[in-house]
Amino acid sequence: MSDTALLVIDMQVGVVEGELRAARLDAVLDNLNAAIAKARQRGYPVIFIQHEDEELERGSASWQLHAKLADQEGDARIGKRYGDSFCETELAGLLADKGIDKLWIGGCATDFCVDSTLRNAVSRGYQVTVVSDAHTTLSAFELSGEQVIDHFNAAWHATGATPKPLRVIPAAEL
């Protein structure tokens, strides 16, 4: 049994290809697929997290995973209603059942759902690896999506006060 899982957060059509297109989306999809392939080669579970709300109704076209993602029939899928993928979901139970204590994390949105999930995972004692080139966000608050991605990668990389090391590495180094 593996001790590591890959979380792919909110890479849904309505999130990344909506009114605005997510930053570096094509490269992020390629790098997520590279991470997915590496996870599968090592026998790690791949878990897709999908946000659900009025604009992303379960089963709708906008709720679907991006067509370029290499998802498979046996991959776990978890619906969520909040930014943090652990909040009122079965994620913690699923990880515990599988004996997972290490997470690779990528997806959307860097500054909200990815960051919230990452911080909760660290607080819960998981060793977290952020796939630095496999997360994305939209431009907002006077910042480009690229600036937000770069800022969060730098901030996470500089974070040292964690129970287990927080790693920030590109997909090629997984």
Side-chain angles (χ1 to χ4, degrees):
M1 184 164 28
S2 170
D3 64 350
T4 304
L6 170 62
L7 301 184
V8 179
I9 301 169
D10 296 352
M11 289 299 294
Q12 297 158 261
V13 174
V15 176
V16 298
E17 294 274 13
E19 192 172 309
L20 297 173
R21 191 167 200 261
R24 303 176 182 157
L25 183 57
D26 294 323
V28 166
L29 287 164
D30 289 344
N31 293 321
L32 279 171
N33 284 333
I36 290 167
K38 287 181 181 192
R40 288 199 176 109
Q41 287 169 352
R42 296 175 188 173
Y44 300 169
V46 178
I47 302 169
F48 290 94
I49 311 292
Q50 290 174 268
H51 195 83
E52 300 172 7
D53 61 24
E54 298 78 33
E55 295 177 16
L56 293 168
E57 283 190 41
R58 179 182 284 270
S60 69
S62 62
W63 175 84
Q64 301 299 324
L65 292 174
H66 197 284
K68 291 185 180 176
L69 279 176
D71 61 313
Q72 292 181 352
E73 182 77 24
D75 295 331
R77 293 175 187 252
I78 293 179
K80 69 176 183 62
R81 298 199 60 78
Y82 304 104
D84 173 12
S85 299
F86 289 95
C87 185
E88 298 181 13
T89 72
E90 65 273 12
L91 179 58
L94 175 67
L95 296 173
D97 289 348
K98 293 183 175 291
I100 302 296
D101 65 358
K102 297 180 180 86
L103 298 174
W104 293 354
I105 297 178
C108 189
T110 300
D111 43 345
F112 294 104
C113 301
V114 173
D115 185 57
S116 296
T117 300
L118 173 155
R119 291 181 186 279
N120 194 338
V122 166
S123 294
R124 289 170 179 257
Y126 293 97
Q127 182 190 333
V128 175
T129 298
V130 179
V131 188
S132 62
D133 54 2
H135 61 91
T136 185
T137 196
L138 304 174
S139 298
F141 310 114
E142 305 293 324
L143 297 174
S144 70
E146 290 82 359
Q147 288 172 310
V148 173
I149 293 165
D150 293 343
H151 168 79
F152 274 83
N153 278 337
W156 293 328
H157 184 73
T159 300
T162 57
K164 294 182 181 170
L166 173 60
R167 299 176 0 155
V168 183
I169 60 174
E173 294 179 22
L174 290 172

